Amino acid sequence: MKVAVLGFGTVGFGVYEMLKNAGGLEPGSVLVRPGKNDADYKVTSISQITEDPDIWAVAEVMGGTDPAYEYVSAALCAGKHVVTSNKALVAAYGPELEKLAAENDVAFLFSAACGGAVPFLHNIALAVESDRILSLGGILNGTTNYMLDAMQSRFMTYADALADAQALGYAEADPTADVSGMDALRKIMLACAVAYNMLPDSGLCCEGIESITAEDVNHIQAKGYTCRLVTSGGLSADGRLYAYIEPVLFPANAPECSVLKNFNMAKYTGENSGQIVFMGQGAGRWPTASAVLRDLNDILHGKRFMMQPDCKRVAADNSLCEHKYYVRLSEELADSIPSDRADVYDGTARLITKPMSVKTMHDIAKELRKGGNKVFFAAIGE
Ligand code: HSE
């Protein structure tokens, strides 16, 4: 079965190479930008793929929504199965593409879009067939985990840690999506769509690692904590969907502290299964390509979709999720947040807040920053 590859970057090259040795599969043409077609198998027009009767499936690994949405739609309409590693595409157009796939009786799978090699979406899709997922999430961005680990265990600066993660091929083309938390937030959107048949696309709370400083790292470590960037999704007691991402401080014995480098730790809790944890490389050429190949094999075995074709878009509600927060801000703003205790030194206050909702904490930080104030916050994990 011939598989065409859209994009020939870090992941595209990996997929192409892996297809050469994959049982039942072989590489077809590769779509590249005009001027980059320096070999017979490289083509520059999507019609050379959609009109090729020998192409059985398409692996979209270009990233972004434009022109990926147009190309993936064209491939599905042409009766080609599609797998993608593109979370921006699925977060923006997943329900439409899944519906288009169903209408054309082909598959649309995207487990490579969440967690790299970690079979997170793959297993959630299996779990929902026999259990109810109560919550899900974890460390779902390899770039920021690599950076936080480098800053905390090797005392690298933020800029050097980011440059390293980019050189190793973990970061997105524009790493803003990684460090802002948006990349992992999209992954939790996808996981919710698979688990609950609801794609949360508004009301989301997103805090990345852009505000953390070397002084924060020193202070956090002196208190015995390790910082990780963690996504959370699930159903509140009243059945409403929550979905957010924020830095979390873990005590030394927490399993999250042992997630190093570009590794991810994804979890879900099933009503009957209890907590299930997955760990593995969440970014990089071969780990991500391995997930693309896993989806292609699933199609060979008859799998057709991950989210349902009637998946609904909903607003997330993060007002019922509560915890304490660690907050660093300037001394004169310390009273703007209800807290149990504060360390004040040299004009900077470091607080542990009273329990407050995720929505409240994120809203407070947003308001303070509008006034030009610098704020770092992280949830206190267990
Ligand atoms: N930039 C992403 C990450 C790639 O660092 O996790 C894998 O989705």
Side-chain angles (χ1 to χ4, degrees):
M1 297 293 189
K2 272 196 182 166
V3 180
V5 183
L6 309 189
F8 207 50
T10 303
V11 180
F13 178 79
V15 171
Y16 189 80
E17 289 299 307
M18 281 190 75
L19 282 167
K20 290 180 182 169
N21 299 310
L25 301 170
E26 56 177 305
S29 31
V30 175
L31 184 72
V32 295
R33 287 203 189 93
K36 301 273 181 190
N37 49 329
D38 52 9
D40 284 353
Y41 62 90
K42 295 185 184 172
V43 300
T44 54
S45 161
I46 187 67
S47 61
Q48 290 167 280
I49 289 170
T50 53
E51 289 170 14
D52 181 346
D54 288 343
I55 298 293
W56 168 77
V58 168
E60 186 276 306
V61 289
M62 335 170 39
T65 54
D66 181 21
Y69 179 54
E70 179 196 331
Y71 290 179
V72 167
S73 301
L76 293 170
C77 289
K80 316 290 185 197
H81 301 296
V82 174
V83 302
T84 180
S85 63
N86 185 343
K87 57 241 127 182
L89 175 72
V90 186
Y93 297 110
E96 289 79 6
L97 292 170
E98 204 69 84
K99 194 159 172 271
L100 204 53
E103 284 166 6
N104 288 281
D105 199 21
V106 288
F108 179 63
L109 304 185
F110 49 88
S111 74
C114 178
V118 180
F120 188 41
L121 298 187
H122 175 91
N123 278 283
I124 293 173
L126 287 177
V128 292
E129 289 178 17
S130 56
D131 205 354
R132 204 166 74 91
I133 308 287
L134 303 177
S135 63
L136 39 76
I139 298 170
L140 292 179
N141 182 270
T143 301
T144 47
N145 202 66
Y146 181 90
M147 290 173 65
L148 289 171
D149 180 36
M151 290 175 77
Q152 292 169 103
S153 58
R154 290 185 279 146
F155 306 108
M156 284 176 82
T157 63
Y158 181 97
D160 286 350
L162 176 57
D164 250 22
Q166 286 178 293
L168 288 162
Y170 304 151
E172 298 301 302
D174 175 1
T176 313
D178 295 295
V179 295
S180 69
M182 200 56 217
D183 176 83
L185 189 67
R186 287 185 181 126
K187 292 169 180 165
I188 204 73
M189 291 163 70
L190 268 49
C192 287
V194 176
Y196 303 114
N197 204 27
M198 293 188 273
L199 178 74
D201 66 352
S202 59
L204 302 151
C205 292
C206 183
E207 177 72 12
I209 65 164
E210 292 154 305
S211 300
I212 195 167
T213 64
E215 289 73 37
D216 295 326
V217 167
N218 283 341
H219 195 262
I220 288 164
Q221 290 190 318
K223 299 279 178 197
Y225 288 117
T226 298
C227 183
R228 295 285 181 255
L229 185 63
V230 179
T231 55
S232 301
L235 296 177
S236 298
D238 65 355
R240 273 181 284 175
L241 193 64
Y242 61 86
Y244 60 90
I245 179 165
E246 58 192 13
V248 178
L249 305 188
F250 291 100
N253 60 354
E256 282 79 0
C257 301
S258 63
V259 183
L260 306 178
K261 299 190 175 170
N262 66 328
F263 275 66
N264 282 194
M265 177 191 267
K267 302 177 183 181
Y268 73 79
T269 301
E271 190 170 39
N272 298 300
S273 65
Q275 191 177 75
I276 307 283
V277 182
F278 305 87
M279 204 168 144
Q281 289 190 78
R285 169 172 288 159
W286 303 112
T288 309
S290 78
V292 171
L293 269 285
R294 184 173 59 224
D295 276 352
L296 289 166
N297 271 303
D298 275 351
I299 298 175
L300 280 178
H301 292 115
K303 188 163 169 178
R304 290 291 177 265
F305 53 83
M306 298 193 80
M307 66 172 76
Q308 306 288 330
D310 66 347
C311 180
K312 300 274 176 300
R313 293 172 198 279
V314 299
D317 183 343
N318 295 310
S319 61
L320 294 180
C321 309
E322 264 200 357
H323 30 248
K324 293 184 178 182
Y325 283 92
Y326 171 99
V327 184
R328 180 259 301 154
L329 70 185
S330 67
E331 183 181 357
E332 63 267 26
L333 297 171
D335 289 338
S336 56
I337 303 182
S339 64
D340 285 332
R341 55 182 190 277
D343 286 349
V344 180
Y345 179 73
D346 214 9
T348 298
R350 295 176 185 276
L351 322 172
I352 302 293
T353 70
K354 298 210 180 280
M356 63 169 70
S357 81
V358 169
K359 180 168 174 12
T360 303
M361 182 67 240
H362 285 241
D363 284 349
I364 289 175
K366 209 177 286 169
E367 275 308 306
L368 290 173
R369 286 171 180 154
K370 268 187 204 158
N373 300 297
K374 294 204 181 329
V375 180
F376 167 72
F377 72 90
I380 306 287
E382 284 154 20

